[in-house]
């Protein structure tokens, strides 16, 4: 991984968190630089954004993903529709507003939403949306596609399984376009059921380099 052209610094090997820098704001230039170097932002508060490339990374290899049998059976009962990039702003706003047990608030701060919405307008951030029979947005997720990797950021749901419907649709969408890797940052029980594994930071950096050479396009 070449860091000579980056505003970030490679984390020290002994750093258990993988700190790569901090800023008081963020924009699309910083986001593209970060994702190209395996770094992602995590706000400390409204005045400080910390940037990390942790020692261990959660990923899903598209070749290994699978929808759990119980989830697949449940989703088949739903008369829902998957859409892509038709409501990015609404999706990230819903993710920011979603209740998450054990968390006092959202990490998706207003300046984060502003930057990712601008990133979406540049064609770098994307959303997958679940709509019910009434054409109501009931779930979805958003993430970033840079360097041939899709980096999932956050999900929300208003009806049971609506975010899983978007997740399953996302994997199939990416598979059809030749995207090989989804970065999920951390492996959760839900994502583990879809085939998520942990790899080291250096393995992740190597994959970024290989996939960048392939130059996989979104459309």
């Amino acid at each position: 991984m070449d860091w000579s052209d980056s505003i970030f610094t490679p984390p020290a090997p002994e750093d258990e968190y993988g700190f790569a820098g901090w800023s008081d704001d963020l924009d699309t230039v910083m986001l593209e630089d970060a994702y190209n170097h395996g770094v992602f932002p995590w706000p400390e508060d409204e005045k400080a954004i910390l940037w990390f490339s942790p020692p261990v990374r959660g990923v899903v290899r598209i070749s290994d993903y699978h929808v759990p049998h119980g989830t697949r059976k449940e989703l088949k009962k739903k008369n829902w529709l998957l859409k892509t990039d038709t409501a990015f702003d609404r999706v990230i706003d819903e993710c920011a507003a979603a209740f998450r047990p054990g968390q006092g608030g959202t990490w998706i701060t207003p300046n984060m939403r502003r930057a990712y919405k601008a990133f979406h307008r540049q064609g770098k951030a994307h959303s997958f949306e679940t709509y019910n029979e009434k054409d109501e947005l009931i779930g979805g997720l958003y993430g970033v596609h840079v360097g041939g990797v899709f980096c999932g950021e956050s999900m929300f749901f208003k009806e049971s399984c609506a975010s899983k419907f978007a997740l399953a649709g996302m994997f199939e969408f990416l598979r059809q376009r030749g995207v090989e890797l989804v970065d999920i940052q951390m492996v959760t029980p839900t994502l583990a059921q879809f085939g998520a594994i942990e790899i080291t930071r250096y393995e992740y950096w190597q994959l970024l380099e290989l996939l960048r050479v392939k130059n996989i396009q979104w459309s």
Side-chain angles (χ1 to χ4, degrees), residues 59-97:
V59 300
V60 179
R61 296 179 186 271
I62 296 296
S63 59
D64 296 334
Y65 100 87
H66 55 272
V67 180
H69 176 73
T71 300
R72 185 168 60 249
K73 186 176 180 181
E74 185 67 25
L75 293 180
K76 285 184 177 180
K77 301 177 183 177
K78 307 295 185 181
N79 188 26
W80 291 341
L81 179 66
L82 178 75
K83 297 183 183 181
T84 304
D85 286 339
T86 67
F88 182 90
D89 289 7
R90 288 178 61 196
V91 169
I92 193 171
D93 289 343
E94 291 287 359
C95 288

Side-chain angles (χ1 to χ4, degrees), residues 1 4-5 19 30 53 56 80 93 97 100 114 127 155 179 183:
M1 178 69 68
S4 62
D5 60 345
F19 181 70
M30 298 172 73
S53 185
V56 176
W80 291 341
D93 289 343
R100 305 186 192 281
R114 184 194 69 250
S127 61
M155 301 188 295
V179 177
D183 169 16

Side-chain angles (χ1 to χ4, degrees), residues 74-165:
E74 185 67 25
L75 293 180
K76 285 184 177 180
K77 301 177 183 177
K78 307 295 185 181
N79 188 26
W80 291 341
L81 179 66
L82 178 75
K83 297 183 183 181
T84 304
D85 286 339
T86 67
F88 182 90
D89 289 7
R90 288 178 61 196
V91 169
I92 193 171
D93 289 343
E94 291 287 359
C95 288
F99 171 74
R100 305 186 192 281
Q103 296 184 16
T106 179
W107 60 271
I108 311 173
T109 59
N111 58 350
M112 291 277 287
R113 297 201 296 275
R114 184 194 69 250
Y116 279 90
K117 288 175 183 179
F119 215 30
H120 168 67
R121 291 192 290 273
Q122 292 180 2
K124 302 294 177 56
H126 303 277
S127 61
F128 294 86
E129 309 125 17
T130 303
Y131 290 85
N132 64 13
E133 299 90 336
K134 298 179 181 179
D135 200 33
E136 298 169 330
L137 180 64
I138 58 170
L141 62 92
Y142 76 95
V144 169
H145 181 254
V146 170
V149 177
F150 185 78
C151 304
E153 289 298 321
S154 188
M155 301 188 295
F156 83 96
F157 66 91
K158 293 187 174 181
E159 293 187 24
S160 178
C161 285
S163 59
K164 291 181 180 179
F165 183 87

Side-chain angles (χ1 to χ4, degrees), residues 35 40-42 54 56-59 151-153 183-187:
Y35 285 102
F40 60 84
W42 192 270
V56 176
R57 201 64 161 250
V59 300
C151 304
E153 289 298 321
D183 169 16
I184 59 169
Q185 298 177 6
M186 295 179 292
V187 176

Side-chain angles (χ1 to χ4, degrees), residues 1-8 10 33 36-38 205 209 212:
M1 178 69 68
D2 181 9
W3 293 83
S4 62
D5 60 345
S6 178
I7 61 174
F8 301 100
D33 184 350
N36 271 318
H37 291 87
W205 286 351
E209 291 292 306
R212 185 178 295 116

